[in-house]
Amino acid sequence: MSYQGEAAKEVKEAALQPMLVSDFMTKDLITFRADQTIFQAIDILIKHRITGGPVVNENNELIGVLSEGDCLKEVVKGKYDNMPMLSGTVGDHMTKTVTTIPPEMNVFEAAQLFLSKRIRRFPIVKDGKLVGQISQRDVIKAVREM
């Protein structure tokens, strides 16, 4: 058999392998706690150059997500006083209804969810615990690696 025949066979076999979210998700996450102040959360977002992150309880169970947009809503409240309002906790401002996906989901299914839900990132939950997060960029990288 020629080399090209073997190479084509390898490509075909690689294409048959499922591309799971767990293979491309970020596992080392910056997380927030509900009792942190919104000011502390903004510091973390800026320091780590992230646009948001999951909010977890002491058992690492997902209870919400905090985004830059959630923080901006708090800033805008101060526009009438010409002073940003940064009061309250992460728990006060986080999004509590969160769409999660399992680590066994195919990357292409996740891509479809990104398009239909118009969300930048999905927390990955297994057995009730936060195990990672996948972003639109992670999905694009996964496809590039094919």
Side-chain angles (χ1 to χ4, degrees):
M1 184 176 269
S2 74
Y3 172 76
Q4 287 182 338
E6 285 296 313
K9 181 179 174 186
E10 287 175 17
V11 168
K12 188 174 183 179
E13 286 175 2
L16 295 176
Q17 297 297 319
M19 295 180 64
L20 303 179
V21 164
S22 59
D23 296 328
F24 300 98
M25 68 184 185
T26 302
K27 296 173 189 163
D28 187 22
L29 298 175
I30 307 290
T31 60
F32 299 98
R33 294 181 327 275
D35 62 349
Q36 286 179 290
T37 68
I38 198 71
F39 192 79
Q40 290 170 323
I42 289 171
D43 278 348
I44 291 168
L45 291 172
I46 292 168
K47 178 183 175 189
H48 294 282
R49 296 181 176 188
I50 57 175
T51 60
V55 183
V56 295
N57 65 17
E58 59 278 351
N59 298 320
N60 202 43
E61 296 165 327
L62 183 71
I63 59 171
V65 170
L66 183 74
S67 70
E68 287 177 323
D70 296 325
C71 296
L72 276 177
K73 289 174 192 172
E74 184 63 12
V75 169
V76 169
K77 288 179 184 177
K79 72 180 179 182
Y80 297 109
D81 298 327
N82 204 25
M83 185 68 151
M85 303 287 290
L86 296 175
S87 62
T89 64
V90 168
D92 296 331
H93 302 290
M94 69 184 183
T95 301
K96 294 176 180 133
T97 305
V98 181
T99 301
T100 65
I101 58 177
E104 304 83 21
M105 179 180 273
N106 187 292
V107 168
F108 295 104
E109 292 176 79
Q112 183 60 45
L113 269 179
F114 277 117
L115 293 175
S116 65
K117 298 277 188 185
R118 296 181 152 206
I119 296 175
R120 295 176 119 184
R121 68 190 74 77
F122 286 110
I124 313 299
V125 175
K126 182 172 183 150
D127 300 325
K129 307 283 186 193
L130 179 70
V131 294
Q133 178 174 277
I134 193 160
S135 68
Q136 291 179 4
R137 180 168 290 165
D138 295 328
V139 171
I140 291 169
K141 286 178 184 177
V143 172
R144 183 187 70 190
E145 289 181 21
M146 281 185 65

